[in-house]
């Protein structure tokens, strides 16, 4: 599980435990500036407004029940009711070690499938120019990406001269 999703789940549970309606968005995002921590829970303020309570007081209720033991070294309320979350160095080191021990570096695999890609080539009867080559290069890069996701990639290229098909 990625770190942002883990923290989002924990904050969502704390929101509900603090009195928020089920399914209230935690809105956990990476912080733009290091002084605001590694992540921010921005949904607390919106939920507090819906409940008609003071956002800072509601944020404190959420912090009181928020369980980030072993994940965060520090949490704090900032501004009108945002929660700043600072990850612990031990947790980050553990996550890095787990990713390095995994052959896919922690990236989840998806069920592979057959992908069919159809590209209509430029008209070879017309004069070719730079844009044509840039477009072709982009399409080929897309085919390379698709081939990493598929167990079987079927590419069909059509042009004025006929059809060229290949199976990768």
């Amino acid at each position: 599980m990625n770190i942002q999703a883990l923290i989002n789940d924990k904050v969502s549970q704390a929101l509900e435990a603090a009195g928020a309606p089920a399914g209230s968005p935690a809105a956990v995002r990476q912080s733009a500036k290091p002084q605001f921590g590694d992540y921010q829970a921005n949904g607390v303020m919106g939920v507090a407004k819906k409940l008609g309570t003071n956002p800072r007081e509601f944020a404190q209720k959420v912090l009181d029940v928020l369980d980030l033991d072993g994940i965060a070294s520090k949490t704090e309320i900032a501004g009108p009711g945002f929660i700043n979350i600072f990850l612990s160095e031990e947790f980050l080191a553990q996550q890095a070690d787990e990713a390095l021990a995994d052959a896919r570096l922690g990236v989840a695999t998806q069920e592979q499938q057959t992908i069919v890609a159809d590209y209509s080539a430029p008209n070879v009867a017309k004069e070719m120019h730079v844009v044509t080559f840039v477009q072709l290069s982009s399409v080929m890069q897309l085919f390379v990406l698709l081939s990493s996701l598929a167990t079987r990639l079927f590419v069909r290229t059509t042009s004025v001269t006929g059809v060229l098909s290949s199976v990768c």
Side-chain angles (χ1 to χ4, degrees):
M1 176 181 272
N2 81 32
I3 296 171
Q4 184 171 341
L6 173 67
I7 294 172
N8 195 72
D9 288 347
K10 297 274 189 181
V11 173
S12 292
Q13 292 168 6
L15 279 170
E16 288 183 34
S24 296
V28 173
R29 304 285 182 263
Q30 287 184 335
S31 298
K33 297 181 180 177
Q35 68 261 29
F36 299 133
D38 298 298
Y39 290 92
Q40 294 175 305
N42 301 327
V44 176
M45 204 167 76
V47 173
K49 286 183 181 180
K50 286 182 182 176
L51 295 174
T53 63
N54 180 309
R56 283 189 69 86
E57 290 174 10
F58 187 68
Q60 186 58 55
K61 285 182 185 179
V62 172
L63 276 181
D64 291 342
V65 295
L66 182 59
D67 179 22
L68 292 177
D69 291 337
I71 299 173
S73 59
K74 177 174 115 175
T75 55
E76 64 185 17
I77 300 172
F82 302 108
I83 296 177
N84 294 338
I85 301 165
F86 297 80
L87 298 177
S88 74
E89 290 182 12
E90 295 82 18
F91 175 73
L92 288 173
Q94 175 190 2
Q95 294 300 306
D97 288 342
E98 287 177 14
L100 289 172
D102 185 1
R104 294 191 44 86
L105 298 175
V107 176
T109 59
Q110 295 181 352
E111 182 179 323
Q112 292 193 332
Q113 56 190 338
T114 298
I115 297 176
V116 177
D118 189 6
Y119 174 65
S120 296
N123 187 343
V124 294
K126 292 185 178 181
E127 183 177 328
M128 297 182 75
H129 48 84
V130 173
V131 174
T132 304
F133 291 111
V134 171
Q135 290 170 342
L136 184 59
S137 173
S138 298
V139 168
M140 293 311 294
Q141 289 174 357
L142 177 63
F143 288 168
V144 169
L145 174 65
L146 288 174
S147 69
S148 69
L149 299 174
T151 52
R152 192 168 159 212
L153 175 64
F154 181 75
V155 178
R156 188 179 111 177
T157 307
T158 57
S159 68
V160 172
T161 58
V163 175
L164 169 67
S165 296
S166 64
V167 177
C168 303

